[in-house]
Amino acid sequence: MNERFARIRVVYPGLVRLAVLGAVVLGVDYFFGDRAALWFALISFTALLAFHYFYLAVLGAWLENPSLESVPEGSGTWSEVFARLYKTRRTSELNESRLAESEQRFRRTISALPEGIVLVDGQLQIEWCNPVAERHLGISLRADLGLRLTNLVRDPSFVAYLTSASFDNPLMLRPLANPAIALSVQVIEFESVRSIVLTRDITQSERVDAVRRDFVANVSHELRTPLTVVKGFLETLLDGRPPLDPTRERHLQLMLEQANRMSRLVDDLLLLSRLESQETVLAEEDVDVGQLLRELAEEARTLSSQRHAISVEAAPLWIRGSREELRSAFSNLVTNAIRYTSAGGRIWLRWRADGEGAVFEVEDTGIGVAPEHIPRLTERFYRVDKSRSRETGGTGLGLAIVKHVLLRHDARLDVTSELGRGSVFAARFPRTRLITAPDKERLRAA
Ligand code: ADP
């Protein structure tokens, strides 16, 4: 209804003018004859047309630069048209300024965040970043807009992380541009063609972590010597002549067992702090995992002393990494299978290729783990049943060691288990870590 009135309001002055002109033409015809009326009509319609063309030209010129201040004034129909243009323009300018203001507020808010934020497109070209990100990564929005982030921050681990397909875990980075700070870098993918690179300063927590690690490593190290001395004397006393009375011998035996347990704990703590330390560089050896598996199976058979049936399946696949670390991780999985499987149970050790790369699998028909415990098994000293763990000589650090070794080899631990039926502990390695046996032969030849 309103729209129809609005339309009438625009054409109304024009219609009135036309009606007046028609009446005048009729009047001229009545008083001065047809010829005069024809001329009069021709001249006045031409003038009307010129009037409209003039304002059309004014409108065209304004549209070239449609600012609010320069909206023209018109007469008749055109005054109504220009009034409306003015109103529409004012509303849209108001909306634009509101939008710009809210965008500004949004950017100010993001800029005030303590995290660095870089918005990149599918080619990793910088679309926007906040000042914190500029400081963290040594980039500049003004100078580097549109440039590839990986061309500006050239740390190999950063480039590898950004170009990888998996962003489940953040990257710990000491940027070459600013090695005094430690950054946690996380990529968040959104809109399928854009990503946010989030940087967080973790220098302080890294320092606290390093202090804790050093403390544990130092204490463990300092405990080693006294423990060796105590163990040595206990062994000498137990070996002593003449034979000890049975009670004393039992006491000394118990003391030796506990000293051995402590010694294993100290060794595991030292190994863990070594694995955690950034300074320990991962050895890049060619490891024949099949061979390693056969050695571990032998040890497992000795440990099991015929109580379990142990089978081995090993593919001829090699891995690039540290043989010593892998041995320690796999050995933990194998001894756990024996310790948590009752006599008469079965254990399978498998090393085979799978869709992602290769998998080292230890399956047992043991006591199993309830689902609520599975996510916490790799925490230090997390045990489902403390007394069983201690009875079987566990330190509570085995799976934490496994997790760290695997992390250093870009691998992960998958646990599937059913209470009372058994478990599968699978270490999954990516294809990038694999060297197949024929490759190995070629490497030797080269
Ligand atoms: P622990 O020295 O106590 O065995 P680990 O870190 O090796 O420490 O293992 C953590 C816990 O995970 C164990 O205490 C045990 O409860 C559980 N666990 C590990 N391996 C197995 C397995 N094969 N079957 C059942 N439970 C297991």
Side-chain angles (χ1 to χ4, degrees), residues 336 339-340 364 369 377 382-384 389 394-396 398-399 423 425:
N336 275 355
R339 287 167 48 220
Y340 296 105
D364 63 50
V369 186
L377 291 185
Y382 188 85
R383 291 129 154 174
V384 177
S389 163
T395 59
L399 292 182
S423 327
F425 285 75

Side-chain angles (χ1 to χ4, degrees), residues 248-309:
R248 274 192 84 175
E249 184 172 347
R250 216 185 56 233
H251 287 169
L252 286 176
Q253 199 67 51
L254 267 174
M255 283 166 79
L256 186 61
E257 267 171 37
Q258 292 306 313
N260 278 331
R261 206 168 86 78
M262 228 166 135
S263 178
R264 278 199 303 278
L265 197 65
V266 164
D267 286 346
D268 277 2
L269 279 172
L270 273 173
L271 175 59
L272 248 184
S273 49
R274 219 164 12 93
L275 291 173
E276 272 187 319
S277 156
Q278 297 290 321
E279 280 111 56
T280 319
V281 183
L282 180 71
E284 296 281 336
E285 301 159 338
D286 296 342
V287 186
D288 181 353
V289 181
Q291 175 59 29
L292 190 61
L293 192 68
R294 282 185 286 274
E295 288 169 26
L296 287 173
E298 272 318 301
E299 287 176 21
R301 286 195 181 103
T302 316
L303 191 67
S304 152
S305 28
Q306 312 282 326
R307 283 178 298 130
H308 311 95

Side-chain angles (χ1 to χ4, degrees), residues 15 33 46 155 176 182 202 234 260:
L15 287 177
T46 310
D155 305 61
L176 290 174
I202 52 163
L234 284 171
N260 278 331

Side-chain angles (χ1 to χ4, degrees), residues 308 335-342 364-368 383 385 388-390 392 394:
H308 311 95
T335 42
N336 275 355
I338 293 169
R339 287 167 48 220
Y340 296 105
T341 304
S342 318
D364 63 50
T365 55
I367 59 169
R383 291 129 154 174
D385 178 348
R388 174 148 192 165
S389 163
R390 278 206 200 96
T392 54

Side-chain angles (χ1 to χ4, degrees), residues 240-245 249:
R241 305 264 176 249
L244 300 163
D245 77 87
E249 184 172 347

